[in-house]
Amino acid sequence: MAQRIIPLVDHRTAALPTPHAAVPSPAGTLVDARGRPLRDLRISVTDRCNFRCSYCMPKEVFDSQYAYLPHSALLRFEEIARLARLFMAHGVRKLRLTGGEPLLRKDIETLIEQLAALRTADGQPPEITLTTNAALLTRKAQALKDAGLNRVTVSLDGLDDTVFRRMNDVDFPVAQVLAGIEAAQTAGLTPIKVNMVVKRGTNDAQILPMARHFRGSGVVLRFIEYMDVGATNGWRMDEVLPSADVIRLLQTKFSLVPLQASAPGETAERWSYAGADGLHDPALGEIGVISSVTQAFCGDCNRARLSMDGKLFLCLFAGQGYDLRALLRGSDGGRPPATDADIEAAIAAIWQGRTDHYSELRASLPPEATEGMRRVEMSYIGG
Ligand code: SAM
Ligand code: SF4
Ligand code: SF4
């Protein structure tokens, strides 16, 4: 049978802009057309995953016939590290490895070692984090730490085994994810964040049990609104539980006080648990809500995303990426591989032209206006 190819990704690659003659000095001063600096690079290292979360890689689409990228299409570790170095020259300080499931990429520790050796324009090491479903974390936590990984974010959508197995759709048990979190704590990949995507009617009954479980554990639990990323998850607004409702629900059982954002561009609204005196009790820790649907936070979005095949996306909801792999490798038509200076200039020109603000548009336009926009899959450019 012929292989079925579903055009999930808009393969029309955006044309690379002509680099400006004057590239800003590599001191982290690069800002986009809306005045937003470039600080955070999310690197997707594989399009494969061992889970089939229905909101991300539904089984019906990502089945045995699905055409994943061949290995030769993936950026090699040296290529990723080279691009990361050039992004850091433009102000990036934080590198997040994601996917697909990043722990499925063979020898990921080697990539982490290469990234950990990089330095920002002012001589600082990058903050390196990784988002994972934790299926392989128990086995890999210590090696990841030894390679130079600073922290992990673990995705976990509930504590009830039946609910969780249904959501990951590969019958994976909660207990192994909890073991992975424990292994990461033991290895010192802390503070650990746990992301729970909330789907109304599917796992909203898990909000309070998750809060109770992680309160006082040192783990920061964050509730994420189910997003209209990609084109395969059949997203519907009535399955989104607004963060304001999550907070209201939590407040029926816990005393919460709002916290300041810890860094500009932070996506989560932070709340801490209060002690008997009504004040923030550090021993009880904090929670966060990420309101990607009900509250646009494009205003200070400082994140760029690099796909596993070297395309640069300026927004989670973008339909097109800029083909940096073509610059790295040169083209069959005889264009030679680009120099560092060429690539730096291209990155600068791309970022300076950036106007993306999808979530704000979604909030201000009628649903019909944004529904038909082509979007890449979350498993392609990571969360
Ligand atoms: N496989 C890894 C994992 O699940 O942690 C990393 C990649 S996954 C695409 C990154 C994050 O995106 C996860 O926390 C996942 O829950 C989140 N995500 C995926 N699809 C989503 C959606 N439709 N809405 C909100 N978050 C989503
Ligand atoms: Fe895999 Fe992560 Fe997507 Fe779930 S959210 S299918 S674990 S990539
Ligand atoms: Fe950033 Fe795009 Fe999300 Fe807005 S919609 S916060 S620009 S990724």
Side-chain angles (χ1 to χ4, degrees):
M1 189 172 48
Q3 196 170 44
R4 185 155 58 87
I5 298 175
I6 299 172
L8 295 178
V9 177
D10 184 347
H11 284 294
R12 281 172 306 153
T13 304
L16 290 165
T18 314
H20 306 300
V23 175
S25 67
T29 51
L30 195 63
V31 292
D32 73 6
R34 294 177 153 242
R36 299 169 294 189
L38 172 59
R39 292 281 179 254
D40 184 329
L41 180 64
R42 302 190 170 196
I43 305 169
S44 182
V45 292
T46 177
D47 57 346
R48 289 160 200 260
C49 187
N50 42 4
F51 282 15
R52 285 294 175 273
C53 308
S54 57
Y55 52 73
C56 178
M57 294 181 77
K59 227 175 199 166
E60 309 72 53
V61 176
F62 294 88
D63 58 10
S64 58
Q65 302 298 312
Y66 183 75
Y68 292 97
L69 290 168
H71 193 72
S72 59
L74 306 186
L75 291 186
R76 295 185 292 275
F77 289 164
E78 289 68 25
E79 292 175 320
I80 295 176
R82 180 176 175 207
L83 286 179
R85 173 169 58 79
L86 300 174
F87 273 94
M88 285 172 62
H90 277 311
V92 163
R93 294 177 189 152
K94 191 168 154 190
L95 304 172
R96 174 176 295 279
L97 299 177
T98 175
E101 173 48 45
L103 296 186
L104 289 183
R105 180 83 188 250
K106 196 162 169 280
D107 299 327
I108 185 84
E109 301 82 357
T110 306
L111 173 63
I112 293 170
E113 273 169 20
Q114 292 179 13
L115 297 176
L118 302 175
R119 292 293 174 265
T120 61
D122 53 0
Q124 299 302 311
E127 184 190 351
I128 310 177
T129 66
L130 177 143
T131 306
T132 175
N133 61 26
L136 299 171
L137 195 54
T138 314
R139 211 182 308 159
K140 286 187 168 260
Q142 191 58 53
L144 293 168
K145 178 70 182 178
D146 294 345
L149 187 70
N150 298 111
R151 293 192 293 105
V152 286
T153 297
V154 171
S155 305
L156 176 62
D157 295 330
L159 278 184
D160 180 280
D161 211 40
T162 309
V163 172
F164 182 61
R165 283 177 193 253
R166 202 183 312 131
M167 285 189 83
N168 64 56
D169 216 7
V170 294
D171 213 23
F172 197 85
V174 170
Q176 281 193 45
V177 177
L178 296 178
I181 293 171
E182 217 176 293
Q185 273 182 315
T186 307
L189 291 165
T190 52
I192 295 171
K193 291 179 182 160
V194 166
N195 282 351
M196 169 176 170
V197 175
V198 182
K199 264 184 103 172
R200 193 200 288 273
T202 301
N203 65 338
D204 41 351
Q206 293 299 301
I207 295 171
L208 289 174
M210 285 282 282
R212 271 188 213 105
H213 182 85
F214 289 111
R215 184 168 175 257
S217 69
V219 168
V220 179
L221 175 61
R222 303 183 318 166
F223 300 96
I224 304 184
E225 288 177 351
Y226 170 39
M227 279 188 283
D228 49 339
V229 279
T232 60
N233 62 10
W235 182 87
R236 295 200 328 249
M237 187 65 199
D238 60 9
E239 288 186 311
V240 177
L241 186 71
S243 295
D245 291 3
V246 173
I247 293 295
R248 259 195 297 277
L249 175 65
L250 291 167
Q251 282 173 327
T252 62
K253 301 289 174 201
F254 308 107
S255 169
L256 297 175
V257 283
L259 288 174
Q260 292 294 320
S262 56
E266 176 157 58
T267 49
E269 177 188 302
R270 299 168 59 215
W271 293 77
S272 77
Y273 291 105
D277 56 2
L279 300 174
H280 168 40
D281 180 350
L284 295 175
E286 64 177 80
I287 55 139
V289 285
I290 303 185
S291 317
S292 334
V293 178
T294 60
Q295 231 178 2
F297 41 74
C298 304
D300 53 6
C301 177
N302 53 20
R303 299 175 288 282
R305 294 179 159 85
L306 183 65
S307 66
M308 63 293 295
D309 57 348
K311 296 215 177 81
L312 173 62
F313 288 86
L314 303 181
C315 174
L316 194 50
F317 298 90
Q320 291 188 316
Y322 298 88
D323 190 359
L324 299 186
R325 191 187 63 191
L327 286 182
L328 286 169
R329 295 186 183 175
S331 72
D332 295 342
R335 186 160 45 78
T339 62
D340 281 0
D342 292 339
I343 298 173
E344 254 185 57
I347 293 170
I350 293 167
W351 189 262
Q352 286 170 327
R354 176 183 189 245
T355 57
D356 301 62
H357 58 298
Y358 174 83
S359 290
E360 285 179 3
L361 286 178
R362 187 211 294 105
S364 64
L365 294 174
E368 319 78 80
T370 49
E371 251 160 29
M373 286 183 180
R374 295 215 48 179
R375 297 189 280 261
V376 287
E377 295 299 310
M378 191 81 152
S379 52
Y380 179 64
I381 52 169

